Amino acid sequence: MTAIPLQPPRRIVELTIDDEAVRVPEGDTVLDACRGAGKHIPTLCRGDTLTPKNACRVCVVEVEGGRTLAPACSRRAEAGMTVRTDTERARNSRKVVLELLASSVDLSTTPRAGEWIREYGAEPGRFGAEAARVDEQPKVDNDLYVRDYDKCTLCYKCVDACGEQWQNTFAIAVAGRGFDARISTEHDAPLTDSACVYCGNCIEVCPTGALSFKSEFDMRAAGTWDEAAQTETTTVCAYCGVGCNLTLHVQDNEIVKVTSPHDNPVTHGNLCIKGRFGFQHVQTRD
């Protein structure tokens, strides 16, 4: 077993969040500090295994002395910094961002989106029936996972997971500009003709359900998907000797999808095609 090298200790910095003194290790973000202090900050694009892209802007906070609102997910905590998380300016910004997102894409499978819309009094319908929407049909071009870009908020997490931050396959990227921007394969080719290796790591990081297991997509369409009735069991993948951890999501005695713990030092949430999708032999009843 390879020993994990010891890291040098990090200095502790102290900042003030909503009039409360908070101490965090140097290098932590404002979002880390807020969560450590029990402050709830909404975020869509933040991934615990990825470098922040500052795409959704739902996590903005007010930093004393700052001209603009700061994205808490990427702004580093600094000694002596004074942060306010619930000012009228921050709340109004979150409200408008949620309105713009919910008026243009389907947030029905985005965890907590409905809760945040109610919390901030967002009114997506105020832009009227003529407001531009993505309105894309799901792309079902393989048996493993579905791309439903009508739910995509362009958080770039799938691009980063497929690219230099993890998989280095570079099968997908952002195509188009402005409202026509989309996540796409090269030349918008079917996934089966692309460089995709079907690791499913893009599904792992997708925060809105725009990318999902084919099994989950089919069950949602049939009205049988029920996360409350599912159990989760973490085990070790048996395909090779790497030791990747798998979390099996089981409903009605059937595996419906597979994820991987993000805090696992081997996988960090990532898997290969066999670990992510090769579970059918487990439940063959013949």
Side-chain angles (χ1 to χ4, degrees), residues 66-281:
R67 182 177 60 85
T68 62
L69 295 172
C73 69
S74 62
R75 180 66 181 271
R76 298 294 179 185
E78 301 170 8
M81 174 185 281
T82 297
V83 177
R84 299 199 178 277
T85 66
D86 203 38
T87 63
E88 182 179 353
R89 186 184 181 196
R91 290 184 65 86
N92 186 64
S93 177
R94 294 171 191 161
K95 170 180 178 291
V96 173
V97 167
L98 288 167
E99 287 176 339
L100 291 170
L101 287 174
S103 69
S104 59
V105 299
D106 177 9
L107 297 182
S108 63
T109 55
T110 301
R112 304 194 68 178
E115 174 189 333
W116 294 334
I117 287 173
R118 292 188 295 273
E119 179 180 349
Y120 293 103
E123 301 177 29
R126 72 183 178 92
F127 300 113
E130 300 303 315
R133 291 190 59 85
V134 173
D135 284 333
E136 279 199 20
Q137 294 300 310
K139 295 179 182 292
V140 187
D141 53 11
N142 67 91
D143 295 329
L144 301 181
Y145 71 95
V146 176
R147 297 173 291 159
D148 188 356
Y149 290 143
D150 191 41
K151 298 177 178 179
C152 177
T153 60
L154 289 176
C155 70
Y156 302 97
K157 290 169 71 174
C158 60
V159 176
D160 289 339
C162 184
E164 62 182 9
Q165 292 197 35
W166 286 115
Q167 191 63 26
N168 286 285
T169 298
F170 301 98
I172 53 177
V174 178
R177 293 293 182 269
F179 202 82
D180 292 327
R182 298 287 189 276
I183 305 298
S184 175
T185 56
E186 189 173 7
H187 303 301
D188 199 25
L191 207 62
T192 49
D193 297 333
S194 73
C196 179
V197 296
Y198 299 95
C199 62
N201 294 331
C202 54
I203 306 173
E204 184 75 38
V205 300
C206 179
T208 65
L211 303 172
S212 64
F213 275 70
K214 180 69 161 51
S215 53
E216 177 179 347
F217 179 83
D218 290 341
M219 291 176 70
R220 285 187 183 276
T224 57
W225 182 261
D226 185 3
E227 289 189 9
Q230 294 173 13
T231 60
E232 298 181 12
T233 302
T234 298
T235 184
V236 178
C237 181
Y239 275 106
C240 72
V242 172
C244 299
N245 276 199
L246 312 178
T247 299
L248 308 178
H249 298 248
V250 177
Q251 180 178 330
D252 298 328
N253 205 30
E254 296 281 344
I255 300 173
V256 292
K257 72 174 183 179
V258 174
T259 58
S260 182
H262 288 197
D263 60 354
N264 183 271
V266 176
T267 60
H268 298 286
N270 299 294
L271 296 169
C272 72
I273 181 174
K274 292 182 287 186
R276 180 94 53 194
F277 297 108
F279 56 80
Q280 289 77 11
H281 66 284

